[in-house]
Amino acid sequence: MRPAPIIAPSILAADFAHLADEVRAIEGAADWVHVDVMDNHFVPNLTIGLPVVKSLRAATDIPFDVHLMITEPERWAPGYAEAGAYNVTFHAEACDDPVHLAKTLRAAGAKAGLAIDRDTPVEPYLELLPYVDTVLIMTIKAGFGGQSFLPEMLGKVRDVRRRIKVKDLEVRLEVDGGIAADTIEQAAAAGADAFVAGTAVYGAQDPAEAIRRLRGLAAEAPQSA
């Protein structure tokens, strides 16, 4: 049986001047808080880093889903695990030895996630699924919020879901980019079971209610995988 859907609001769409309050506003509704870390090298934008994550971690009990869009994840990723992140996801394109880094993150107390960007084929990484806890398929180009969902990325989601099923793995299949009420059912039907939503949550009048609606839509989607 597919696990219950996870909704992970992205604070990239929140008001950075009041981050703690923005996170508290989704307590009791969000499953994870998705934290986008960008370094102005791997991706053009620059967001927050470890000091802010440490401070924010003290403000809420919601598990942190940290998405590292950075170069040298081997150097920086363990610090996020040690700071209390529940799941730390690094990009396949930025890492020379994903299996070693995944083991390092697990040893530091976090789940290990592998992200695949828009232009990266998923096939070379399917053999790594037994070594990670989460696979994150970008349904946009990594590095910018507010982009439109790319349905052509769902082929990757289906490929990963098939491999998870064949190998009987306990791996979360996450999607990130343009997830909203009009797209989440497509992603869930393709096999995703964790969903990053930014504007769809923080652009809503009631973020907590938006999360509940998204979860309901994902749970009701027909599962073709």
Side-chain angles (χ1 to χ4, degrees):
M1 178 180 290
R2 193 82 55 82
I6 291 286
I7 304 299
S10 171
I11 60 171
L12 189 63
D15 180 353
F16 270 40
H18 303 94
L19 271 184
D21 290 337
E22 294 277 66
V23 171
R24 292 189 189 103
I26 58 173
E27 287 181 343
D31 300 289
W32 300 344
V33 173
H34 190 79
V35 182
D36 289 302
V37 176
M38 306 182 192
D39 66 356
N40 192 224
H41 294 284
F42 181 71
V43 293
N45 280 330
L46 181 67
T47 57
I48 62 176
L50 187 55
V52 174
V53 171
K54 286 180 177 178
S55 178
L56 196 59
R57 178 65 280 171
T60 182
D61 292 329
I62 308 174
F64 276 16
D65 177 36
V66 176
H67 178 192
L68 300 178
M69 287 171 271
I70 64 174
T71 57
E72 297 187 85
E74 300 90 343
R75 178 180 179 185
W76 301 108
Y80 290 90
E82 292 162 2
Y86 171 77
N87 184 74
V88 180
T89 296
F90 57 90
H91 269 264
E93 303 87 358
C95 185
D96 293 329
D97 192 343
V99 173
H100 180 265
L101 181 51
K103 290 179 178 178
T104 299
L105 289 169
R106 286 172 165 178
K111 302 288 188 182
L114 182 71
I116 308 293
D117 203 1
R118 180 193 66 187
D119 301 326
T120 301
V122 75
E123 290 79 9
Y125 300 101
L126 293 177
E127 296 301 323
L128 301 184
L129 295 186
Y131 302 99
V132 299
D133 303 289
T134 307
V135 174
L136 173 60
I137 301 298
M138 296 301 299
T139 44
I140 57 171
K141 176 65 179 172
F144 301 91
Q147 297 180 63
S148 297
F149 177 79
L150 298 173
E152 57 267 34
M153 296 296 105
L154 294 180
K156 295 182 183 181
V157 176
R158 296 185 187 96
D159 288 345
V160 174
R161 174 54 61 192
R162 279 192 290 267
R163 182 61 63 96
I164 290 172
K165 185 175 180 180
V166 166
K167 297 295 184 179
D168 193 25
L169 301 172
E170 293 186 7
V171 176
R172 278 285 181 181
L173 179 46
E174 190 172 10
V175 287
D176 181 0
I179 297 299
D182 60 343
T183 59
I184 194 168
E185 291 176 283
Q186 298 175 56
D193 54 34
F195 307 87
V196 178
T199 305
V201 171
Y202 280 112
Q205 186 172 3
D206 185 339
E209 179 57 32
I211 291 167
R212 288 189 282 268
R213 183 185 180 207
L214 290 171
R215 186 183 294 108
L217 290 169
E220 294 167 5
Q223 298 177 356
S224 59

